[in-house]
Amino acid sequence: MKKILVGNWKMNLVSLEAESFFASMPINREITIGIAAPATLLRGLRDHADRLGILLGAQNMHENKAGPYTGEISAAHLLDAGADFVILGHSERRVLFHETNDQVEKKVESAVVEGLSFVLCVGETREQDEEGVGDEVVTHQIRSALSSLTEPNLKGAMVAYEPVWAIGAGQPATADQIEEKHQLIRDELIKLFGEEGKNVPILYGGSVNADNLEEILQIPNVDGALVGGASLDPQTFNEMIEITGESS
Ligand code: PEP
């Protein structure tokens, strides 16, 4: 499997900044690159993404296809705007917008029905880690979010392990912590989907930058990285593309 590098721009960058970012990005076919941009930028970035051969993603969606949900955007809208994938269950959605496992499950189901790939984010909070329930939390998040899926519609599914306490913290989880949780996730995927569970990429996210990426990519069951803050600077992100390419 090619290594994967996904940038999550969150609520940052407007169209001129995004276009100049894409203009500076190198073409690299050795790895899979994705950028999850604000939904308003997707249509304008589609041609650039095609030229670069990268995936374009959104950061959230509503679980229903259409209806009276003022201000919301569905999988159908994201596809229409040019998205290839969507990030689902990001901890900022879970914590700041009180998104539940049930909602995440419905979003996953809706993305799959519409044919939109997804990155499912899972991870424990600092308190859960200290209480010793981190494994339980992550296992439950995986099981509930993927409960509606069967092997054939796993194509396009990715999981990102993002310990909430490591996001934006400047300090990622340790190699041992990452290895342990990625193994747990891999085991759970195999329990759910048999052999096919081996092919679902598992990304690590949480304070990944150009200095620690190489080491993180060497950890067993780490198929790539989901990068927040460090994905906003084109020079840094381009350096991370190079590092990911060299680790492939
Ligand atoms: C994220 O929010 O998905 C993330 C990984 O953020 P950061 O890299 O800034 O920790």
Side-chain angles (χ1 to χ4, degrees):
M1 168 191 321
K2 283 185 186 175
K3 291 276 187 208
I4 300 166
L5 183 68
V6 177
N8 173 12
W9 283 356
K10 310 191 184 189
M11 199 173 71
N12 293 294
L13 305 191
V14 292
S15 53
L16 276 181
E17 294 165 318
E19 278 170 30
S20 96
F21 190 113
F22 272 44
S24 80
M25 206 187 285
I27 293 178
N28 186 321
R29 308 252 181 232
E30 290 168 297
I31 65 170
T32 302
I33 302 168
I35 291 286
T40 51
L41 301 184
L42 294 174
R43 189 177 286 285
L45 292 176
R46 186 64 261 174
D47 285 351
H48 296 280
D50 288 341
R51 176 182 60 77
L52 293 164
I54 72 168
L55 302 175
L56 199 55
Q59 305 164 12
N60 179 41
M61 57 175 241
H62 193 270
E63 57 268 35
N64 289 335
K65 185 171 179 168
Y69 305 101
T70 303
E72 293 292 326
I73 292 181
S74 72
H77 289 109
L78 295 181
L79 283 165
D80 186 48
D84 300 298
F85 73 95
V86 60
I87 294 176
L88 296 176
H90 190 281
S91 64
E92 284 158 11
R93 301 293 320 166
R94 294 180 193 261
V95 174
L96 303 175
F97 301 97
H98 314 293
E99 215 169 275
T100 63
N101 280 327
D102 276 359
Q103 273 175 297
V104 176
E105 180 204 337
K106 291 194 178 101
K107 290 180 185 203
V108 165
E109 197 176 350
S110 173
V112 169
V113 166
E114 295 298 321
L116 188 62
S117 297
F118 64 89
V119 178
L120 167 68
C121 295
V122 298
E124 76 286 359
T125 61
R126 169 71 71 203
E127 294 72 37
Q128 290 163 336
D129 184 43
E130 284 169 0
E131 282 166 27
V133 295
D135 285 5
E136 231 171 279
V137 168
V138 169
T139 304
H140 181 63
Q141 287 173 333
I142 297 266
R143 276 193 207 157
S144 74
L146 302 180
S147 61
S148 63
L149 298 200
T150 52
E151 291 81 351
N153 48 32
L154 269 186
K155 196 173 168 291
M158 290 176 259
V159 173
Y161 169 58
E162 298 206 306
V164 181
W165 46 271
I167 293 181
Q171 183 71 40
T174 65
D176 285 348
Q177 288 168 321
I178 297 173
E179 181 169 356
E180 187 252 315
K181 283 291 190 299
H182 279 238
Q183 185 65 59
L184 177 85
I185 293 168
R186 177 66 69 213
D187 291 345
E188 203 48 44
L189 290 169
I190 292 170
K191 266 186 227 160
L192 289 171
F193 306 110
E195 282 296 297
E196 284 301 317
K198 292 184 181 166
N199 300 325
V200 177
I202 308 173
L203 316 182
Y204 169 76
S207 297
V208 180
N209 58 38
D211 295 329
N212 56 37
L213 177 62
E214 188 181 353
E215 187 192 338
I216 288 170
L217 291 175
Q218 303 310 318
I219 299 170
N221 284 307
V222 172
D223 301 306
L226 179 55
V227 184
S231 73
L232 291 172
D233 174 57
Q235 236 175 308
T236 306
F237 195 69
N238 290 348
E239 205 184 319
M240 294 175 90
I241 291 175
E242 205 175 310
I243 294 166
T244 308
E246 284 161 5
S247 307
S248 296

